[in-house]
Amino acid sequence: MVTARDEWMTDFSAEQLSKKVKRFYKIYSSEQSRWLGVSASQPKDKKKRADALRKFVSREIKWTEELESHLDRGTVLQFDAACLRQATAYRPFVQCATYYAKVMTHRIYLQNRIFPISGDWNNLTFGFSGAASSKSFSTLGVNILPSFDLLEKTQFVPLVRYDDAGNRVDNITDWGLKQIH
């Protein structure tokens, strides 16, 4: 996962993280109210509107294009304590709390299939440094939500994945298991 705002979405203390995320939501909500109050006078052209919004919002928090788009559409975001995750592999052998939610976690990629956003998970993944890594090849197994740069451009292979209904699905096919044996 990529938060694109680690200073707001991760912390070594879940209590401090909760305070930071609530403050983030408060600022987002305030900026949304301000924007929606003047948005009728803003350009209708999508690119010009996005540029106007980018110049408009307070840089007190870390914005991404996706978050600005949600603000413009009027998406209401609210703090959810269930999105606070206690164990996150942030760097090798370093764990911290993270706020793991669809809009707030900038890039979830396929992590939701490996470590679902809602509910509990029980999974083991093996991470490999990515092809674009500037460091030598490395691998690490984790059973907690990993950061994208855990091993620099990390790619993960999970033991199981979760379907849309939250069911565990074995990620090793019978054919693959036979090849391994």
Side-chain angles (χ1 to χ4, degrees), residues 65-168:
E65 188 175 325
E66 179 185 19
L67 187 63
E68 289 171 348
S69 175
H70 279 281
L71 181 137
D72 190 31
R73 289 193 310 256
T75 305
V76 176
L77 300 178
Q78 295 182 330
F79 177 79
D80 181 356
C83 291
L84 289 171
R85 296 296 184 149
Q86 291 297 323
T88 302
Y90 186 65
R91 297 291 182 259
F93 313 109
V94 176
Q95 293 182 14
C96 63
T98 192
Y99 191 78
Y100 185 47
K102 282 194 183 203
V103 175
M104 299 305 283
T105 304
H106 178 60
R107 297 283 187 249
I108 292 176
Y109 299 109
L110 295 175
Q111 290 299 325
N112 193 36
R113 298 275 187 189
I114 302 168
F115 299 105
I117 288 177
S118 59
D120 294 327
W121 61 63
N122 179 16
N123 207 352
L124 176 64
T125 64
F126 289 96
F128 303 90
S129 50
S133 177
S134 63
K135 298 182 175 65
S136 57
F137 177 79
S138 54
T139 184
L140 184 66
V142 297
N143 63 353
I144 55 178
L145 182 66
S147 170
F148 177 69
D149 273 335
L150 178 63
L151 295 175
E152 190 178 15
K153 312 306 178 237
T154 315
Q155 298 173 4
F156 285 91
V157 179
L159 182 61
V160 299
R161 58 189 163 76
Y162 292 84
D163 65 16
D164 291 336
N167 300 311
R168 288 172 54 98

Side-chain angles (χ1 to χ4, degrees), residues 2-17:
V2 174
T3 69
R5 52 181 75 84
D6 286 355
E7 68 275 15
W8 288 96
M9 298 297 126
T10 61
D11 202 290
F12 291 106
S13 161
E15 183 179 327
Q16 289 301 321
L17 176 59

